[in-house]
Amino acid sequence: MKLIPISLTCLLVLAGCQAVPDRLPQAEPAPAASCYFPINAPTSAESALEASIALKTSVDVLTEWGFTLTSTDTTLGLVSASRERALHGYYDPYDNAYGYGRGMRVFGGLGFGRGSGIGIGMGGGFGGGIGQQPVEVERVSLLVNNDHVRISRDVRRFDHVGDMRESYNASNDDFCQRFQTRFEQAVPMTRSPL
């Protein structure tokens, strides 16, 4: 009788303990209900006109708030915009995770070749990102579809070296309600009141 190697036994035990996720990945936190709101379109004939006015008004509000348009598709009713700001004094929780110290990155290696060759390599970067600031990039996408506007917003934070350190869904009540209020104030009166 042959003995089963212990590594194969451990592999089989671990394979039996593997868990399957109970749900698919989702945006967390979920977008707020106020990020989906109606525009005034009483008849379907006026719906296309209202959608184009809503699209233009959305662009005006975003540019007023300091966003720069990234891309637009008027046939789909899609607008994407972003803005960034410097994060002065931003503390990166992962900067000192491996004991190298703040702003210090060291990589090196030692290799032995066949025969008489020996290779040594050392590289380092101290104070990486001097003169660069950590930044926060806020991206907003708007979809004007028939008689509704849907807002999607996310925030990403990058450290002084340019590595992304934080990312989260920011489609929250505060932003969406402020946008909706400013949007309704900025919409031109296209119809005379009854």
Side-chain angles (χ1 to χ4, degrees), residues 91-103:
Y91 170 71
D92 183 5
Y94 304 105
D95 200 18
N96 201 16
Y98 302 106
Y100 295 134
R102 280 188 86 80

Side-chain angles (χ1 to χ4, degrees), residues 23-31 169:
R23 64 183 172 94
L24 292 174
Q26 298 175 357
E28 292 179 11
N169 177 10

Side-chain angles (χ1 to χ4, degrees), residues 4-129:
I4 298 175
I6 193 156
S7 60
L8 183 60
T9 306
C10 290
L11 181 66
L12 290 173
V13 169
L14 289 175
C17 296
Q18 184 177 2
V20 178
D22 59 346
R23 64 183 172 94
L24 292 174
Q26 298 175 357
E28 292 179 11
S34 60
C35 293
Y36 183 70
F37 60 91
I39 55 177
N40 297 328
T43 66
S44 60
E46 293 178 350
S47 181
L49 176 63
E50 288 290 333
S52 65
I53 291 172
L55 197 61
K56 183 186 178 319
T57 305
S58 299
V59 169
D60 291 344
V61 170
L62 288 174
T63 54
E64 177 185 311
W65 285 1
F67 284 89
T68 304
L69 291 181
T70 308
S71 63
T72 58
D73 189 340
T74 55
T75 57
L76 293 176
L78 183 66
V79 174
S80 296
S82 67
R83 67 180 171 186
E84 70 177 50
R85 66 182 181 99
L87 295 174
H88 300 288
Y90 174 68
Y91 170 71
D92 183 5
Y94 304 105
D95 200 18
N96 201 16
Y98 302 106
Y100 295 134
R102 280 188 86 80
M104 182 173 121
R105 294 174 183 227
V106 177
F107 298 99
L110 173 65
F112 295 100
R114 190 170 180 192
S116 63
I118 296 177
I120 298 175
M122 179 73 172
F126 297 93

